[in-house]
């Protein structure tokens, strides 16, 4: 099947009318969609909470540990010129 034939086949498929959904499925679809939206919303809130907790934990650690300060020397420099 060459490109023009494929394009024509796709156009025929897209021009068809979509199949009708049985009316008895509508309440089930609405229920599942609502559940899916609630799960996404809960997951998004959980991710923001985890991000916020990580930022607070990092801030507290940085304020306590002072990682930007050079640690004190473990040995003393040699004394010369006495």
């Amino acid at each position: 099947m060459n490109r023009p034939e494929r394009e024509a086949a796709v156009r025929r498929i897209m021009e068809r009318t979509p199949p009708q959904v049985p009316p008895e499925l509508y309440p089930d679809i609405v229920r599942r969609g609502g559940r899916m939206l609630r799960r996404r919303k809960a997951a998004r809130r959980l991710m923001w909470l985890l991000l916020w907790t990580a930022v607070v934990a990092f801030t507290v650690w940085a304020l306590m540990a002072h990682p930007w300060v050079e640690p004190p020397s473990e040995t003393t420099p040699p004394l010369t010129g006495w």
Side-chain angles (χ1 to χ4, degrees):
M1 194 180 241
N2 60 17
R3 184 178 174 135
E5 291 174 358
R6 283 186 291 177
E7 288 177 0
V10 169
R11 283 194 185 95
R12 280 193 304 272
I13 291 171
M14 292 182 70
E15 287 173 355
R16 288 188 216 159
T17 58
Q20 294 295 320
V21 177
E24 62 269 5
L25 291 180
Y26 182 74
D28 189 40
I29 293 169
V30 170
R31 182 177 50 84
R32 286 184 183 185
R35 185 183 329 152
M36 186 172 52
L37 289 175
R38 284 191 302 276
R39 284 182 182 170
R40 282 185 185 170
K41 189 176 185 180
R44 193 176 305 121
R45 285 183 179 175
L46 178 64
M47 293 303 287
W48 278 111
L49 177 67
L50 289 174
L51 178 65
W52 183 81
T53 304
V55 167
V56 169
F58 176 78
T59 304
V60 169
W61 170 79
L63 290 174
M64 300 288 283
H66 299 287
W68 54 87
V69 176
E70 185 176 330
S73 177
E74 296 293 327
T75 61
T76 57
L79 293 175
T80 57
W82 276 84

